[in-house]
């Protein structure tokens, strides 16, 4: 009975009801996607790169020719090894959160008809691949005889290790060991699967995944030179990288030392996600501002209606309505308006998510975010209407008569 009375009363205030409903609908749509984006950014910050970041650093050089690569590799790696605290040094093409190395599209059939997407190829010598500290979940690491020179971009017909994510996508329900991938005019045979290995620029393709990478054993040489993986005790890394520039300048004064790219992997990670942290702060501010504006809108409308209905409230009290009855009336009324706004907002949220999928490569909005946003707005609505409703419930018949 009370719901029918409330609906009839709302029909007499169509414009105000429409405006607050649209405000709640927009709040719901933005809130769903803002929370989703916030959680996606938070998930990216906690990304497991698959390597032992705290004890690794990357040294990057340029300004030398392919003919000098063998000599540069030998001089530079010997100079780095001589720095106190350095445990080992190896040649590698890229590391997670650093500058990209070799990237290429792959196929999972020899006819090149089944595309496997674009992958990051991590090429490294035996020392570098060992230093990564990868967690091999099936198969094995490359044997010494399987490290070969790089032809063009990768060794020809090389054995590779793939991530578990790739194995599950390419060969669901099957073992990845012995399977083949084709790319750059060569065939790669899978010899092992690792738990994780993030691409060099993770967080930019969440719709597909961050472990779209594979590991290729290679020999240091003309096409594997200028980037070196350094392992040391985490507490020694800052001191080591304070000396590495001078050591390289003394050993190879003819090369260009890249100061900005030569750092511990933990620092590269922090810089890589600096933008994500700023975005999370902005999203948090948007969520707080949105909820605040919605709450103020509900409070303002409810307060206005309390003042407009003082006479009716007084008559209801005179006819026996209790304070609880008045309080319940405004709470039910608010619940109906918020529910209508949420229903419209859930439809809008999917439309907004389609745009985010297109421009920011986000995955589809999970259904779990819809009830979360709805519950948040319901609770906000009940909390926002509480003060005006309590004020309405305190109106006595005498006060209503005096206001005439």
């Amino acid at each position: 009975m009370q719901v029918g009375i409330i609906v009839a009363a709302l029909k007499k205030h169509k414009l105000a009801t429409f405006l607050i409903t649209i405000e709640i609908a927009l709040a719901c749509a933005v809130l769903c996607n803002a929370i989703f984006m916030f959680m996606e950014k938070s998930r990216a910050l906690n990304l497991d790169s698959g390597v032992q970041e705290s004890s690794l650093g990357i040294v990057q050089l340029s300004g030398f020719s392919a003919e000098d690569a063998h000599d540069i590799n030998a001089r530079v790696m010997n100079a780095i090894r001589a720095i106190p605290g350095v445990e080992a040094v190896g040649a590698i093409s890229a590391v997670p959160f650093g500058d990209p190395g070799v990237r290429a599209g792959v196929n999972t059939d020899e006819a090149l008809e089944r595309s496997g997407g674009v992958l990051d190829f991590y090429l490294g010598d035996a020392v570098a691949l060992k230093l990564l500290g990868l967690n091999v979940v099936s198969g094995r690491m490359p044997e010494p005889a399987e490290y070969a020179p790089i032809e063009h971009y990768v060794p020809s017909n090389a054995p590779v290790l793939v991530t578990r994510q790739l194995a599950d996508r390419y060969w669901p329900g099957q073992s990845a060991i012995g399977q083949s991938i084709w790319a750059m005019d060569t065939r790669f045979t899978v010899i092992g699967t690792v738990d994780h290995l993030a691409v060099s620029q993770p967080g930019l393709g969440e719709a597909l995944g961050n472990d779209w990478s594979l590991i290729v054993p290679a020999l240091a040489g003309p096409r594997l030179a200028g980037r070196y993986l350094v392992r040391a005790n985490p507490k020694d890394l800052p001191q080591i990288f304070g000396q590495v520039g001078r050591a390289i300048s003394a050993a190879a004064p003819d090369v260009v030392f890249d100061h900005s790219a030569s750092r511990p992997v933990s620092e590269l990670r922090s810089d890589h996600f600096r933008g994500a942290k700023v975005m999370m702060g902005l999203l948090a501010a948007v969520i707080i501002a949105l909820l605040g504006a919605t709450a103020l809108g509900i409070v303002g409308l409810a307060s206005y209606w309390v003042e407009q209905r003082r006479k009716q409230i007084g008559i209801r009290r005179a006819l026996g309505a209790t304070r609880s009855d008045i309080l319940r009336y405004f709470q039910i009324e608010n619940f109906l308006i918020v529910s209508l706004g949420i229903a419209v907002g859930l439809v809008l949220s999917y439309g907004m998510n389609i745009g985010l999928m297109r421009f920011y490569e986000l995955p589809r909005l999970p259904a779990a975010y819809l009830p979360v946003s709805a519950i948040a707005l319901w609770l906000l609505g009940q909390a926002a209407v509480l003060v005006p409703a309590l004020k309405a419930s305190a109106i006595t018949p005498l006060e209503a008569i005096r206001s005439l």
Side-chain angles (χ1 to χ4, degrees), residues 201-284:
Q201 298 290 301
L204 302 181
E206 295 92 340
L208 298 177
N210 290 311
D211 283 347
W212 280 52
S213 51
L214 50 78
I215 304 98
V216 186
L219 292 175
R223 296 189 179 277
L224 185 58
R227 286 182 184 171
Y228 309 98
L229 192 64
V230 180
R231 182 181 178 88
N233 189 300
K235 69 177 190 300
D236 295 331
L237 273 178
Q239 180 182 356
I240 289 170
F241 274 84
Q243 303 178 47
V244 72
R246 294 190 297 272
I248 292 174
S249 295
D254 47 338
V255 303
V256 177
F257 176 65
D258 191 333
H259 288 270
S260 62
S262 300
R263 285 182 293 168
V265 175
S266 58
E267 289 186 12
L268 294 176
R269 180 189 185 106
S270 179
D271 281 359
H272 179 77
F273 286 124
R274 182 173 289 119
K277 293 177 181 177
V278 173
M279 178 62 75
M280 287 179 67
L282 291 175
L283 287 171

Side-chain angles (χ1 to χ4, degrees), residues 170-371:
Y170 292 161
W171 310 287
Q174 305 177 50
S175 171
I177 309 305
Q179 303 283 1
S180 296
I181 298 174
W182 285 262
M184 294 174 282
D185 298 324
T186 193
R187 173 179 180 170
F188 302 93
T189 302
V190 179
I191 62 170
T193 304
V194 299
D195 194 13
H196 291 289
L197 179 57
V199 295
S200 58
Q201 298 290 301
L204 302 181
E206 295 92 340
L208 298 177
N210 290 311
D211 283 347
W212 280 52
S213 51
L214 50 78
I215 304 98
V216 186
L219 292 175
R223 296 189 179 277
L224 185 58
R227 286 182 184 171
Y228 309 98
L229 192 64
V230 180
R231 182 181 178 88
N233 189 300
K235 69 177 190 300
D236 295 331
L237 273 178
Q239 180 182 356
I240 289 170
F241 274 84
Q243 303 178 47
V244 72
R246 294 190 297 272
I248 292 174
S249 295
D254 47 338
V255 303
V256 177
F257 176 65
D258 191 333
H259 288 270
S260 62
S262 300
R263 285 182 293 168
V265 175
S266 58
E267 289 186 12
L268 294 176
R269 180 189 185 106
S270 179
D271 281 359
H272 179 77
F273 286 124
R274 182 173 289 119
K277 293 177 181 177
V278 173
M279 178 62 75
M280 287 179 67
L282 291 175
L283 287 171
V286 167
I287 292 171
I288 293 172
L290 186 66
L291 293 176
T294 304
L296 287 175
I298 294 172
V299 170
L301 181 63
S303 298
Y304 171 75
W305 279 347
V306 167
E307 291 302 320
Q308 292 292 308
R309 299 171 180 173
R310 292 183 69 87
K311 178 181 177 182
Q312 292 88 340
I313 294 170
I315 293 173
R316 285 200 62 190
R317 289 298 307 277
L319 294 175
T322 64
R323 295 186 61 175
S324 297
D325 292 331
I326 303 301
L327 182 64
R328 190 180 304 111
Y329 176 93
F330 281 95
Q331 288 179 321
I332 294 174
E333 181 181 66
N334 177 262
F335 182 82
L336 293 175
I337 295 173
V338 172
S339 296
L340 179 59
I342 289 173
V344 177
L346 295 182
V347 176
L348 291 177
S349 66
Y350 267 108
M352 185 179 295
N353 182 242
I354 291 173
L356 293 173
M357 289 170 61
R358 180 177 301 173
F359 294 107
Y360 295 99
E361 298 186 19
L362 286 174
R364 185 175 296 278
L365 179 70
Y369 286 89
L370 303 181

Side-chain angles (χ1 to χ4, degrees), residues 58-62 64 69 72-73 91-92 221 224-228 256 262:
I58 187 76
V59 174
Q60 189 163 314
L61 311 176
S62 61
F64 59 91
I72 294 297
N73 280 342
I92 198 165
L224 185 58
R227 286 182 184 171
Y228 309 98
V256 177
S262 300

